[in-house]
Amino acid sequence: MLKDKVAVVTGASRGIGRAIALEMAKNGAKVVINYNGSVEKAEEVKKEIEANGGEAMIYQCNVSDFAACEQFIKDVVTAYGRIDILVNNAGITRDGLIMKMKEEDFDQVLDINLKGTFNTIRFVSRIMMKQRQGSIINMSSVSGVLGNIGQANYAASKAGVIGLTKSMARELAARNITVNAIAPGFIDTDMTSVLSDAVKEASVAQIPLGHFGKPEDIANVAAFLASEKGAYITGQVIHVDGGMAI
Ligand code: NAP
């Protein structure tokens, strides 16, 4: 489905990004596994891809660093010659009620989740425009759609990702580049494993399908959007949340 395509996945050392990297590789793409701090985990993802006959490289880059992203994308093009798929998955939470939220917790979440998404698109869009072909997938969240208590910073960043996605979809459509967002609900990863049992129970109660999703539930949709099968979809927010946003 993605044979000979080059896919860049940010935050692919763990969780949803890892599952996306594995799924893209399973479908034949060469995968760039971006990470920030977890070099060993990134290496493991690369090894798993190679063990299954795929091709991958790892690349350290803090996506909130504009200049580092420019170098990152340059280096990927030097290595693989093109970029067909960009998945902006890297993200963090720094939850807290607004009255207690530290300024740096607001800034850091916006810098990584929203500006990080801008940073990579800023440099990849030029390459995809030259190719007259590409697929960009940005990770939003159900919190960005519905809002969530204790997540003013995170919800704002993920709502921002939706605005960015829709604008980029309009701007890049003439060059045959699609831009979509996925809005996951609660997915079993390190990000949600820190939640208390009480919060987990309250969260499950909000999910019509009655359970958390798996990283693979998101990866399947990302691979579909990046493939020919998703070629006529752009500017959309695909909810993969067990019905939370109904
Ligand atoms: P996770 O398990 O905490 O993994 C986060 C990933 O992002 C890691 O690979 C991490 O890399 C990377 N990352 C963090 N900061 C980075 C930076 N500055 N530069 C580059 N990479 C960075 O999170 P997850 O649950 O898989 O979430 C993935 C995405 O889905 C996020 O955007 C998140 O907001 C979104 N999402 C998750 C859920 C959920 O329930 N899990 C729900 C909705 C949306 P290192 O470890 O190498 O630093």
Side-chain angles (χ1 to χ4, degrees):
M1 205 158 71
L2 302 175
K3 202 171 170 324
D4 299 326
K5 305 260 185 207
V6 175
V8 172
V9 185
T10 70
S13 48
R14 297 183 283 119
I16 293 171
R18 173 182 180 277
I20 293 173
L22 294 175
E23 185 62 27
M24 296 281 177
K26 201 166 110 187
N27 283 285
K30 293 174 190 159
V31 181
V32 181
I33 302 155
N34 161 252
Y35 66 99
N36 187 29
S38 307
V39 61
E40 280 157 26
K41 301 245 169 188
E43 282 285 4
E44 277 170 30
V45 180
K46 180 176 184 273
K47 275 190 197 138
E48 193 168 335
I49 288 174
E50 287 170 350
N52 290 316
E55 195 175 335
M57 65 184 263
I58 67 167
Y59 196 102
Q60 194 283 333
C61 174
N62 178 348
V63 294
S64 69
D65 183 332
F66 186 73
C69 284
E70 181 171 25
Q71 192 60 49
F72 171 31
I73 299 310
K74 257 191 204 156
D75 290 346
V76 172
V77 173
T78 303
Y80 286 141
R82 56 187 296 115
I83 297 175
D84 302 284
I85 301 158
L86 168 66
V87 184
N88 282 305
N89 166 81
I92 62 161
T93 50
R94 291 288 180 272
D95 295 354
L97 296 173
I98 193 77
M99 278 170 54
K100 292 186 181 164
M101 189 174 284
K102 292 190 197 126
E103 186 186 7
E104 69 240 40
D105 286 343
F106 189 89
D107 288 347
Q108 211 187 350
V109 167
L110 268 289
D111 278 352
I112 294 173
N113 298 5
L114 180 56
K115 186 152 179 278
T117 302
F118 159 75
N119 286 345
T120 54
I121 294 176
R122 170 67 176 72
F123 299 110
V124 169
S125 57
R126 186 185 297 254
I127 290 149
M128 289 184 171
M129 283 176 84
K130 272 197 209 147
Q131 293 170 182
R132 294 184 175 270
Q133 187 257 325
S135 169
I136 299 173
I137 298 158
N138 300 323
M139 214 49 72
S140 181
S141 165
V142 68
S143 293
V145 177
L146 301 181
N148 195 18
I149 293 169
Q151 289 201 313
N153 49 358
Y154 184 77
S157 73
K158 295 300 187 178
V161 164
I162 293 174
L164 181 64
T165 299
K166 291 183 178 180
S167 298
M168 290 303 92
R170 289 185 185 277
E171 209 170 303
L172 302 175
R175 297 290 182 105
N176 192 32
I177 300 163
T178 62
V179 189
N180 291 289
I182 299 176
F186 285 94
I187 308 297
D188 269 321
T189 67
D190 294 344
M191 188 176 272
T192 48
S193 69
V194 297
L195 301 173
S196 68
D197 287 347
V199 171
K200 278 188 192 160
E201 262 173 45
S203 308
V204 169
Q206 298 172 46
I207 307 172
L209 285 179
H211 59 87
F212 277 26
K214 302 183 297 296
E216 292 73 23
D217 294 323
I218 309 301
N220 290 334
V221 176
F224 170 78
L225 287 172
S227 76
E228 260 311 298
K229 292 183 181 173
Y232 201 55
I233 303 171
T234 197
Q236 300 306 304
V237 182
I238 315 288
H239 298 270
V240 187
D241 63 2
M244 276 186 85
I246 293 170

